Amino acid sequence: SYGTLVRRFPQSGSAYTYTQRAINPHVGFLVGWSSLLDYLLLPMVNALLAKLYLSAMFPEVPEWIWVAGFVTLISLINMRSVNLVAHFNLLFVAVQVAIIAVFIYLCVRGLDQGEGLGTTWSLIPF
């Protein structure tokens, strides 16, 4: 955990510093660059995924509006405060957990009602 690494290597830094000190400088270099790519590419991927999902739900709205709206919203939230970002992340996780719970409920209910039984395309040969 980061708490243990901070106590063991009391230097400012991130995953790069801790990996460099704990494992190897070369591995730390790779972790640092992969983290940088993550910070640069992940927001773009999230904006494109939001565009795909929202365009499928609302095809009459131009796709560029979804990208511009998503980027603007996330930028305003980040400029406002870190605590606001943390609260939004908590909200997103709560929604994801709720969706998972509904999915599991629907799967169990479907299995209880016999859905999916007796299909001819089963991967099990018996």
Side-chain angles (χ1 to χ4, degrees), residues 1-24 28 31:
S1 79
Y2 276 106
T4 303
L5 291 170
V6 167
R7 285 190 295 277
R8 180 141 186 215
F9 306 111
Q11 298 170 267
S12 63
S14 63
Y16 161 75
T17 302
Y18 302 136
T19 306
Q20 178 189 32
R21 301 279 183 202
I23 300 174
N24 183 300
V31 167

Side-chain angles (χ1 to χ4, degrees), residues 21-73:
R21 301 279 183 202
I23 300 174
N24 183 300
H26 301 294
V27 177
F29 178 80
L30 291 174
V31 167
W33 274 105
S34 63
S35 296
L36 178 64
L37 287 174
D38 177 47
Y39 297 149
L40 291 175
L41 298 178
L42 196 56
M44 287 187 281
V45 170
N46 287 336
L48 291 175
L49 285 174
K51 176 199 69 135
L52 288 173
Y53 295 144
L54 293 170
S55 293
M57 290 175 60
F58 307 101
E60 63 278 357
V61 178
E63 294 179 345
W64 68 268
I65 290 180
W66 296 122
V67 174
F70 182 79
V71 170
T72 302
L73 176 67

Side-chain angles (χ1 to χ4, degrees), residues 99-118:
I99 290 170
I100 290 170
V102 169
F103 177 77
I104 291 172
Y105 167 76
L106 292 173
C107 287
V108 169
R109 190 182 82 179
L111 290 172
D112 187 49
Q113 294 176 355
E115 293 179 19
L117 296 176

